[in-house]
Amino acid sequence: MARITASVYTSHVPAIGAALDLGKAGEPYWAPLFKGYEFSKQWMKENQPDVIFLVYNDHAVAFSMDIIPTFAIGCATEFKPADEGWGARPVPVVLGHAPLAAHIAQHVIQQDFDLTVVNKMDVDHGLTVPLSLMCGQPQAWPCPVIPFAVNVVQYPIPSGRRCYELGRALRRAVAAFDEDLNVHIWGTGGMSHQLHGPRAGLINQTFDREFLDQLIADPAALARKPHIDYVREAGAEGMEMIMWLIARGAMADGEPGGKAPRVAHRFYHVPASNTAVGHLILEDQE
Ligand code: DHB
Ligand code: FE
């Protein structure tokens, strides 16, 4: 039986990818940020999953504004790094896990979540930057990855509650897969940031830290936070944080009687490009 055993949360700022790709990670601006991921890279080596289920958002790259799925699951065998305007990042192609992805699509749709099945898709910084932060610069990513894209770009955007409930459904779906697989689920995006208009550059450290506290301690209550609170307090793009609720809902305590996860690592850093960077690793306890 497959099992979700841990969840990872991280911001996915494009400039972080550029810093790595251009060899600037050791510069004074970037070094403190990458230091916060040293533990995580070691943790990945010691706790290598068989599959990563990676929740992220596409930034109008793969889907453009022509078609905007609310929840899209990547069922292909591979996903190429997208060209976001400066050429594709020089990182490995992402290999998928088609049998598990197809199983999850079937199971979650039968639990009344309408997913869009995607059989061909390039993946943007939302997916590749978290992989770089957690895995460094390998020749190949350490395991297959199932991309799961959430619309947080164009209204209407799914509610935090729906994201949390979707995470719970994902846990059940993974548990119903016959093969013995250790699955990690990642929630990416955030933290507070606004990229346009008079408030461009907005960062709200108080909001971010409280979000992290509540994500750990009481995600069901956090899931009730309305969109307008994110937009007002954390900026228009701070909305990306609702994706973290999907990963959090997939932890053991989303089930009745389930134990709360252990905080293996917590990191927060300001600034990186136009945003605050938040990062958590939660492990389910046996
Ligand atoms: C930036 C872009 C993002 O997609 C994001 O999540 C955070 C920051 C940026 O351009 O700085
Ligand atoms: Fe983003």
Side-chain angles (χ1 to χ4, degrees), residues 12 57 59 125 193 240:
H12 62 210
N57 68 291
H59 298 75
H125 69 271
H193 63 300
E240 289 184 342

Side-chain angles (χ1 to χ4, degrees), residues 11-14 57-59 124-126 152-153 188-190 193 195 237 240 243:
S11 308
H12 62 210
V13 189
N57 68 291
D58 178 72
H59 298 75
D124 75 9
H125 69 271
V152 290
V153 169
T188 74
H193 63 300
L195 300 179
E237 280 74 39
E240 289 184 342
M243 295 186 288

Side-chain angles (χ1 to χ4, degrees), residues 64-118:
S64 81
M65 282 295 169
D66 293 345
I67 297 176
I68 306 168
T70 303
F71 298 119
I73 183 163
C75 293
T77 52
E78 65 169 45
F79 306 89
K80 294 200 172 66
D83 181 347
E84 300 181 54
W86 295 270
R89 288 192 62 209
V91 293
V93 166
V94 175
L95 300 182
H97 195 302
L100 179 59
H103 163 88
I104 291 173
Q106 158 76 13
H107 206 278
V108 168
I109 290 170
Q110 290 305 313
Q111 292 181 71
D112 305 332
F113 287 91
D114 303 321
L115 309 185
T116 299
V117 170
V118 182

Side-chain angles (χ1 to χ4, degrees), residues 158-161 207 210-211 214 219-231 233-234 239 241-242 245:
S159 68
R161 187 166 41 83
F207 180 96
E210 285 172 6
F211 180 90
Q214 205 178 9
L222 181 60
R224 293 194 288 272
K225 187 189 284 294
H227 285 159
I228 191 69
D229 287 12
Y230 289 91
V231 176
E233 303 287 329
M239 185 57 75
M241 279 188 267
I242 62 164
L245 287 163

Side-chain angles (χ1 to χ4, degrees), residues 12 37 43 48 71 81 93 109 134 136-137 150-151 157 162 199 209 222-223 227 233 267 282:
H12 62 210
Y37 288 83
W43 181 88
Q48 210 197 292
F71 298 119
V93 166
I109 290 170
M134 295 297 293
Q137 295 171 290
V150 180
N151 169 38
I157 289 170
R162 185 155 172 79
R199 295 204 307 166
R209 291 182 201 279
L222 181 60
H227 285 159
E233 303 287 329
F267 176 65
L282 303 183

Side-chain angles (χ1 to χ4, degrees), residues 135-165:
C135 308
Q137 295 171 290
Q139 288 296 103
W141 300 121
C143 68
V145 175
I146 298 175
F148 190 86
V150 180
N151 169 38
V152 290
V153 169
Q154 175 70 51
Y155 287 86
I157 289 170
S159 68
R161 187 166 41 83
R162 185 155 172 79
C163 289
Y164 182 69
E165 292 299 330

Side-chain angles (χ1 to χ4, degrees), residues 114-214:
D114 303 321
L115 309 185
T116 299
V117 170
V118 182
N119 292 320
K120 188 173 191 308
M121 171 168 77
D122 290 348
V123 285
D124 75 9
H125 69 271
L127 184 134
T128 62
V129 167
L131 282 172
S132 296
L133 281 167
M134 295 297 293
C135 308
Q137 295 171 290
Q139 288 296 103
W141 300 121
C143 68
V145 175
I146 298 175
F148 190 86
V150 180
N151 169 38
V152 290
V153 169
Q154 175 70 51
Y155 287 86
I157 289 170
S159 68
R161 187 166 41 83
R162 185 155 172 79
C163 289
Y164 182 69
E165 292 299 330
L166 173 60
R168 299 178 66 206
L170 285 166
R171 183 178 184 85
R172 293 190 287 267
V174 168
F177 192 65
D178 269 349
E179 204 180 321
D180 231 350
L181 292 175
N182 177 13
V183 179
H184 289 181
I185 182 164
W186 294 12
T188 74
M191 296 206 81
S192 57
H193 63 300
Q194 170 136 354
L195 300 179
H196 59 275
R199 295 204 307 166
L202 176 146
I203 289 175
N204 184 341
Q205 299 200 32
T206 307
F207 180 96
D208 290 341
R209 291 182 201 279
E210 285 172 6
F211 180 90
L212 294 172
D213 289 342
Q214 205 178 9

